[in-house]
Amino acid sequence: MEIFEIFNILFTNPITNLLVGSYQLLNSTGIPHAFGLSIILLTIIIRLILYPLVSAQLKSAHKMQKVAPHLQAVKEQHKDDKKRQQEEIMRLYREHGVNPVAGCLPLIVQLPIIWSLYQVLITAVNVNSLTSLSKINSVLYFDFLKIDKVWSTDFFGVPLGKNPGDLMGTTPLIILVPVLTGVFQFILSKMMMPEVNPNLPQAPKKDKEDFQAAFQKQSLFLFPVMIGFFSFTLPVGLSLYWNTFTIFGILQQYILLGPGALAPLLKKINLHGEKK
């Protein structure tokens, strides 16, 4: 059995069944836009399945962020004694309850699921004939799940199989899709950064640290712009999935660790609201 086939059996096929099951459930109740809503429902189900893994990853990353200044101090203090440096670093990890590899395993497990979800949605939004639909039916576990007609990819007047670039001529407001995709990604990225307390004295940074800080700041804006661009060129159905995925991530981040580096902005908005 080939690796690709094993991957499909373990990940792609189960997700396909979840998508079709969600669609059949919504469609059977007469709910309009069942296909688009099934993408949202599927994404929420996947996020709930991944919730423990993502939580472990976020908490591990948060601990690493908190221990980072102490780690840098240890490296500087014992820069000429690598053995002592490693001993002190391990002691620091034990004191703060940090496992430097704890965040890797949850991420590794998530990647094939997220990739499979992407592949399933690419196939689903491009179904336009009974032939392409038969490929989906062939991997369904139960006969009652099988679809006998091509589903409508229309979602509140927007064809989920088209990309915003193609729709700009007839639907100018479709530009809001990639814009919101970028904005949601920026909010999540900002929240994942640690909040800096301006009242605490900041140690002078070296050239290497200055470069890292500048790179992190650029990435904060560059990554959302890239995601927004991809959203402009890929089917709207994928943006629907990605935005649901990101909004769920924002809520999970807030519940577990708070607003992070977004806190100062929220405080300013709150103060502005109170003055009014």
Side-chain angles (χ1 to χ4, degrees), residues 64-108:
M64 287 298 294
Q65 289 172 347
K66 290 178 68 175
V67 82
H70 305 287
L71 194 63
Q72 187 60 39
V74 166
K75 289 181 178 180
E76 181 63 25
Q77 183 180 358
H78 302 289
K79 60 183 179 181
D80 297 325
D81 189 344
K82 296 300 180 181
K83 183 179 179 181
R84 178 67 185 279
Q85 184 184 99
Q86 289 300 317
E87 291 173 352
E88 291 299 314
I89 288 174
M90 295 308 297
R91 181 184 61 80
L92 193 63
Y93 284 154
R94 287 194 298 269
E95 287 180 357
H96 289 81
V98 174
N99 183 347
V101 298
C104 298
L105 182 59
L107 181 60
I108 292 172

Coordinates of all heavy atoms in Angstrom, one line a residue, residues 64-108:
M64 N 7.6 29.3 26.8 CA 8.9 29.6 26.2 C 9.1 31.1 26.1 O 10.2 31.7 26.2 CB 9.0 29.0 24.8 CG 9.2 27.5 24.9 SD 10.7 27.0 25.7 CE 11.9 27.6 24.5
Q65 N 8.0 31.9 25.8 CA 8.1 33.3 25.7 C 8.5 34.0 27.0 O 9.2 34.9 27.1 CB 6.8 33.9 25.2 CG 6.5 33.6 23.7 CD 5.1 34.0 23.3 OE1 4.3 34.3 24.1 NE2 4.9 34.0 22.0
K66 N 7.9 33.4 28.1 CA 8.1 34.0 29.4 C 9.5 33.7 29.9 O 10.1 34.5 30.6 CB 7.1 33.4 30.4 CG 5.7 33.9 30.2 CD 4.7 33.2 31.2 CE 5.0 33.7 32.6 NZ 3.9 33.2 33.5
V67 N 10.1 32.5 29.5 CA 11.4 32.1 30.0 C 12.5 32.7 29.1 O 13.7 32.7 29.5 CB 11.5 30.6 30.1 CG1 11.8 30.0 28.7 CG2 12.6 30.2 31.1
A68 N 12.1 33.2 27.9 CA 13.1 33.7 27.0 C 14.1 34.8 27.5 O 15.3 34.7 27.3 CB 12.4 34.3 25.7
P69 N 13.6 35.8 28.3 CA 14.6 36.8 28.8 C 15.6 36.1 29.8 O 16.8 36.5 29.8 CB 13.7 37.8 29.6 CG 12.3 37.6 28.9 CD 12.2 36.2 28.6
H70 N 15.1 35.2 30.6 CA 16.0 34.5 31.5 C 17.0 33.6 30.8 O 18.2 33.5 31.1 CB 15.2 33.6 32.5 CG 14.2 34.3 33.3 ND1 14.5 35.2 34.3 CD2 12.8 34.3 33.1 CE1 13.3 35.7 34.8 NE2 12.3 35.2 34.1
L71 N 16.5 33.0 29.7 CA 17.4 32.2 28.9 C 18.5 33.0 28.2 O 19.6 32.5 28.2 CB 16.5 31.6 27.8 CG 17.1 30.4 27.0 CD1 17.4 29.2 27.9 CD2 16.2 30.0 25.9
Q72 N 18.2 34.2 27.8 CA 19.2 35.0 27.2 C 20.2 35.5 28.2 O 21.4 35.6 27.9 CB 18.5 36.3 26.6 CG 19.4 37.2 25.8 CD 20.0 36.4 24.6 OE1 19.4 35.6 23.9 NE2 21.3 36.7 24.3
A73 N 19.8 35.7 29.4 CA 20.7 36.1 30.5 C 21.7 35.0 30.8 O 22.8 35.2 31.0 CB 19.9 36.5 31.7
V74 N 21.1 33.8 30.9 CA 22.0 32.6 31.1 C 23.0 32.4 30.0 O 24.2 32.2 30.3 CB 21.1 31.3 31.3 CG1 22.0 30.1 31.2 CG2 20.3 31.4 32.6
K75 N 22.6 32.6 28.8 CA 23.5 32.4 27.7 C 24.6 33.5 27.7 O 25.8 33.2 27.4 CB 22.8 32.5 26.3 CG 21.9 31.3 26.0 CD 21.2 31.5 24.7 CE 20.3 30.2 24.4 NZ 19.6 30.4 23.1
E76 N 24.3 34.7 28.1 CA 25.2 35.8 28.2 C 26.2 35.6 29.3 O 27.4 35.8 29.2 CB 24.5 37.1 28.3 CG 25.4 38.3 28.4 CD 26.2 38.5 27.1 OE1 25.8 38.1 26.0 OE2 27.3 39.1 27.2
Q77 N 25.6 35.1 30.5 CA 26.5 34.9 31.7 C 27.5 33.8 31.5 O 28.6 33.9 32.0 CB 25.5 34.6 32.9 CG 26.3 34.5 34.2 CD 25.3 34.2 35.3 OE1 24.1 34.1 35.2 NE2 25.9 34.0 36.5
H78 N 27.1 32.7 30.8 CA 28.0 31.6 30.6 C 28.4 31.4 29.2 O 28.5 30.3 28.7 CB 27.3 30.3 31.2 CG 26.9 30.4 32.6 ND1 27.8 30.4 33.7 CD2 25.6 30.6 33.2 CE1 27.1 30.5 34.8 NE2 25.8 30.6 34.5
K79 N 28.6 32.5 28.5 CA 28.9 32.4 27.0 C 30.3 31.7 26.8 O 30.5 31.2 25.7 CB 28.9 33.8 26.4 CG 29.9 34.7 27.0 CD 29.7 36.1 26.3 CE 30.7 37.1 27.0 NZ 30.5 38.5 26.3
D80 N 31.2 31.7 27.8 CA 32.5 31.1 27.6 C 32.6 29.7 28.1 O 33.6 29.0 28.0 CB 33.5 32.0 28.3 CG 33.6 33.4 27.7 OD1 33.4 33.5 26.4 OD2 33.9 34.3 28.4
D81 N 31.5 29.2 28.7 CA 31.5 27.8 29.2 C 30.2 27.1 28.8 O 29.1 27.2 29.4 CB 31.5 27.9 30.8 CG 31.7 26.5 31.4 OD1 31.5 25.5 30.7 OD2 32.0 26.4 32.6
K82 N 30.3 26.5 27.6 CA 29.1 25.9 27.0 C 28.5 24.8 27.8 O 27.2 24.6 27.9 CB 29.5 25.3 25.6 CG 29.9 26.3 24.6 CD 28.8 27.4 24.3 CE 29.3 28.4 23.3 NZ 28.2 29.4 23.1
K83 N 29.3 24.0 28.5 CA 28.8 22.9 29.4 C 27.9 23.5 30.5 O 26.8 23.1 30.8 CB 29.9 22.1 29.9 CG 29.4 20.9 30.8 CD 30.6 20.1 31.3 CE 30.1 18.9 32.1 NZ 31.2 18.1 32.7
R84 N 28.5 24.5 31.2 CA 27.8 25.2 32.3 C 26.5 25.9 31.7 O 25.5 25.9 32.4 CB 28.7 26.2 33.0 CG 28.0 27.0 34.1 CD 27.7 26.1 35.3 NE 27.0 26.8 36.3 CZ 27.6 27.6 37.2 NH1 28.9 27.8 37.2 NH2 26.9 28.2 38.1
Q85 N 26.6 26.4 30.6 CA 25.5 27.1 30.0 C 24.3 26.1 29.8 O 23.2 26.4 30.1 CB 25.9 27.7 28.6 CG 24.8 28.5 27.9 CD 25.2 29.0 26.5 OE1 24.9 28.4 25.5 NE2 26.0 30.1 26.5
Q86 N 24.6 24.9 29.2 CA 23.6 23.9 29.0 C 23.0 23.4 30.3 O 21.8 23.2 30.4 CB 24.2 22.7 28.2 CG 24.5 23.0 26.8 CD 23.3 23.4 26.0 OE1 22.2 22.8 26.1 NE2 23.4 24.4 25.1
E87 N 23.8 23.3 31.3 CA 23.3 22.9 32.7 C 22.4 23.9 33.2 O 21.3 23.6 33.8 CB 24.5 22.6 33.6 CG 25.3 21.4 33.3 CD 26.6 21.4 34.1 OE1 26.8 22.3 34.9 OE2 27.3 20.3 34.1
E88 N 22.7 25.2 33.1 CA 21.9 26.2 33.6 C 20.6 26.4 32.8 O 19.5 26.7 33.4 CB 22.6 27.6 33.6 CG 23.8 27.6 34.6 CD 23.3 27.5 36.0 OE1 22.3 28.1 36.4 OE2 23.9 26.7 36.8
I89 N 20.7 26.1 31.5 CA 19.5 26.2 30.7 C 18.5 25.1 31.1 O 17.3 25.3 31.2 CB 19.8 26.1 29.2 CG1 20.5 27.4 28.7 CG2 18.6 25.8 28.3 CD1 21.1 27.3 27.3
M90 N 19.0 23.9 31.3 CA 18.2 22.8 31.7 C 17.5 23.0 33.1 O 16.4 22.7 33.3 CB 18.9 21.5 31.7 CG 19.4 21.0 30.3 SD 18.1 21.0 29.1 CE 17.1 19.7 29.8
R91 N 18.3 23.6 34.0 CA 17.8 24.0 35.3 C 16.7 25.0 35.2 O 15.7 24.9 35.9 CB 18.9 24.5 36.2 CG 18.5 24.9 37.6 CD 19.6 25.6 38.4 NE 20.1 26.8 37.7 CZ 19.4 28.0 37.8 NH1 18.4 28.1 38.6 NH2 19.9 29.0 37.2
L92 N 16.9 26.0 34.3 CA 15.9 27.0 34.0 C 14.6 26.4 33.5 O 13.5 26.8 33.9 CB 16.5 28.0 33.1 CG 15.7 29.4 32.9 CD1 15.7 30.2 34.2 CD2 16.4 30.2 31.8
Y93 N 14.7 25.5 32.6 CA 13.6 24.8 32.0 C 12.8 24.1 33.2 O 11.6 24.1 33.2 CB 14.0 23.8 31.0 CG 14.3 24.4 29.6 CD1 15.2 23.8 28.7 CD2 13.8 25.7 29.3 CE1 15.5 24.4 27.5 CE2 14.1 26.3 28.0 CZ 15.0 25.6 27.2 OH 15.3 26.2 26.0
R94 N 13.5 23.4 34.0 CA 12.9 22.6 35.1 C 12.2 23.6 36.1 O 11.0 23.3 36.5 CB 13.9 21.8 35.9 CG 14.4 20.6 35.1 CD 15.2 19.6 36.0 NE 16.4 20.2 36.6 CZ 17.6 20.2 36.0 NH1 17.8 19.6 34.9 NH2 18.6 20.8 36.6
E95 N 12.8 24.7 36.4 CA 12.2 25.6 37.4 C 10.9 26.2 36.8 O 10.0 26.5 37.6 CB 13.2 26.7 37.7 CG 14.4 26.3 38.6 CD 15.3 27.5 38.8 OE1 15.1 28.6 38.3 OE2 16.3 27.3 39.6
H96 N 10.9 26.5 35.5 CA 9.7 27.1 34.9 C 8.7 26.1 34.3 O 7.7 26.5 33.7 CB 10.1 28.1 33.8 CG 10.7 29.3 34.4 ND1 12.1 29.4 34.8 CD2 10.2 30.6 34.7 CE1 12.4 30.6 35.2 NE2 11.3 31.3 35.2
G97 N 9.0 24.8 34.5 CA 8.2 23.7 34.0 C 8.1 23.8 32.4 O 7.0 23.6 31.9
V98 N 9.2 24.0 31.8 CA 9.2 24.2 30.3 C 9.8 22.9 29.7 O 10.9 22.5 30.1 CB 10.0 25.4 29.9 CG1 10.1 25.5 28.4 CG2 9.3 26.7 30.4
N99 N 9.1 22.4 28.7 CA 9.7 21.3 27.9 C 9.8 21.9 26.5 O 8.9 22.2 25.8 CB 8.7 20.1 27.8 CG 9.3 19.0 27.0 OD1 10.3 19.1 26.3 ND2 8.7 17.8 27.2
P100 N 11.1 22.2 26.0 CA 11.3 22.8 24.7 C 10.8 22.1 23.5 O 10.6 22.7 22.5 CB 12.8 23.0 24.7 CG 13.4 21.9 25.6 CD 12.3 21.8 26.7
V101 N 10.5 20.8 23.7 CA 10.0 20.1 22.5 C 8.5 19.8 22.7 O 7.9 19.1 21.8 CB 10.7 18.7 22.3 CG1 12.2 19.0 22.0 CG2 10.6 17.8 23.5
A102 N 7.9 20.3 23.7 CA 6.4 20.0 24.0 C 5.5 20.6 22.9 O 4.5 20.0 22.7 CB 6.0 20.5 25.4
G103 N 5.9 21.7 22.4 CA 5.1 22.3 21.4 C 5.2 21.7 20.0 O 4.4 22.0 19.1
C104 N 6.2 20.9 19.8 CA 6.5 20.3 18.4 C 5.5 19.2 18.1 O 5.0 19.2 17.0 CB 7.9 19.8 18.3 SG 9.1 21.1 18.6
L105 N 5.3 18.3 19.0 CA 4.4 17.1 18.7 C 3.0 17.5 18.4 O 2.5 17.0 17.4 CB 4.4 16.1 19.9 CG 3.6 14.9 19.7 CD1 4.1 14.1 18.6 CD2 3.7 14.0 21.0
P106 N 2.3 18.4 19.1 CA 1.0 18.8 18.7 C 0.9 19.4 17.4 O 0.0 19.2 16.6 CB 0.6 19.9 19.8 CG 1.4 19.5 21.0 CD 2.7 19.0 20.4
L107 N 2.0 20.2 17.0 CA 2.0 20.8 15.7 C 2.2 19.8 14.6 O 1.5 19.9 13.6 CB 3.2 21.8 15.6 CG 3.4 22.6 14.3 CD1 2.1 23.4 14.0 CD2 4.6 23.5 14.4
I108 N 3.0 18.8 14.8 CA 3.3 17.7 13.8 C 2.0 16.9 13.6 O 1.7 16.6 12.4 CB 4.4 16.8 14.3 CG1 5.7 17.5 14.3 CG2 4.5 15.5 13.4 CD1 6.9 16.8 15.0

